[in-house]
Amino acid sequence: QKEVEQDPGPLSVPEGAIVSLNCTYSNSAFQYFMWYRQYSRKGPELLMYTYSSGNKEDGRFTAQVDKSSKYISLFIRDSQPSDSATYLCAMNISPGTYKYIFGTGTRLKVLA
Amino acid sequence: EAGVAQSPRYKIIEKRQSVAFWCNPISGHATLYWYQQILGQGPKLLIQFQNNGVVDDSQLPKDRFSAERLKGVDSTLKIQPAKLEDSAVYLCASSIGLEYNEQFFGPGTRLTVL
């Protein structure tokens, strides 16, 4: 079993839809959870960073962590064609001590 | 603020040849990472430097891959000799320090081994 599982997609949604992207993980020691956005032929850029359980909101983006279920989500409200990209989840036990583990990424297409 | 710079952006080589990639991190960032991203997969850490010292190279295939970060700034990653399965995007990232989770990625070098 992979440490981090993420559906590769592609996920196609109409403009304005609410998008839900998810990752599951197996290692209960993970405490730091990140979401990266990666446009085609570009490097990943950090979108959201959450420590432990709970929700975090930033504009149209909301990150949720449910440690009891080992499940994290990224919600995108009012999705735009410019949101079309691959979304990678990443997690860490302790920065500096352990490395990030990335999911495989979910390709999202927002149709105009 | 300038981002992480990488060169070349693209490289095509024959198997068994050698190749080198260069990375210039964000100024003042002590920690530098090299990742390998195979098509359809997430980035996998190859090596992590703190200044000019290696923190983690457990996933670096040391029989063919080598990396250095002289003077704690720029870094080079070398593959010698290359295999077909080395075809991937090689990403460099940097962060302020080990204890910071936020990593800033460069655009990557896309390597094709024929």
Side-chain angles (χ1 to χ4, degrees):
Chain A
Q1 182 189 12
K2 286 184 179 179
E3 278 193 283
V4 179
E5 300 272 5
Q6 188 174 9
D7 187 330
L11 176 63
S12 294
V13 301
E15 184 176 355
I18 296 174
V19 175
S20 173
L21 304 165
N22 311 295
C23 287
T24 58
Y25 60 95
S26 57
N27 190 341
S28 58
F30 286 132
Q31 295 192 84
Y32 298 86
F33 304 92
M34 281 71 66
W35 285 96
Y36 280 82
R37 177 175 62 196
Q38 186 173 25
Y39 290 114
S40 180
R41 301 189 183 274
K42 301 281 188 184
E45 57 175 325
L46 183 66
L47 271 180
M48 302 287 284
Y49 164 49
T50 318
Y51 170 69
S52 196
S53 284
N55 293 1
K56 185 172 184 178
E57 191 172 318
D58 184 0
R60 297 185 295 113
F61 299 90
T62 300
Q64 279 187 355
V65 175
D66 181 349
K67 290 189 71 180
S68 61
S69 302
K70 300 194 187 72
Y71 189 89
I72 68 170
S73 301
L74 177 71
F75 297 96
I76 307 175
R77 289 184 300 280
D78 188 24
S79 56
Q80 303 295 311
S82 58
D83 294 328
S84 298
T86 296
Y87 290 80
L88 297 153
C89 64
M91 39 201 84
N92 198 337
I93 296 171
S94 174
T97 309
Y98 295 90
K99 54 184 175 291
Y100 274 30
I101 303 297
F102 279 87
T104 54
T106 300
R107 271 183 58 205
L108 172 67
K109 294 181 181 180
V110 181
L111 306 172
Chain B
E1 179 183 75
V4 176
Q6 289 188 248
S7 68
R9 291 295 313 277
Y10 304 92
K11 191 75 177 177
I12 300 174
I13 62 172
E14 303 270 335
K15 61 183 178 183
R16 291 188 289 273
Q17 284 187 323
S18 302
V19 65
F21 312 126
W22 174 82
C23 173
N24 180 241
I26 292 173
S27 177
H29 280 196
T31 312
L32 185 147
Y33 312 80
W34 282 103
Y35 287 89
Q36 180 192 58
Q37 187 175 24
I38 292 172
L39 186 65
Q41 298 183 20
K44 182 183 87 170
L45 181 70
L46 292 175
I47 188 166
Q48 177 181 346
F49 293 94
Q50 174 69 5
N51 296 310
N52 60 353
V54 175
V55 175
D56 184 349
D57 64 356
S58 57
Q59 298 190 110
L60 187 74
K62 298 181 187 63
D63 57 334
R64 298 184 301 107
F65 285 64
S66 64
E68 60 182 11
R69 192 183 183 199
L70 299 176
K71 301 181 183 178
V73 182
D74 293 7
S75 178
T76 57
L77 176 70
K78 296 178 182 177
I79 308 175
Q80 181 180 9
K83 292 186 175 181
L84 296 176
E85 60 260 35
D86 298 331
S87 294
V89 175
Y90 290 85
L91 294 163
C92 179
S94 70
S95 67
I96 294 172
L98 281 177
E99 68 277 18
Y100 290 90
N101 266 311
E102 185 168 16
Q103 297 182 15
F104 296 85
F105 284 82
T109 296
R110 184 176 297 271
L111 174 67
T112 302
V113 182
L114 303 175

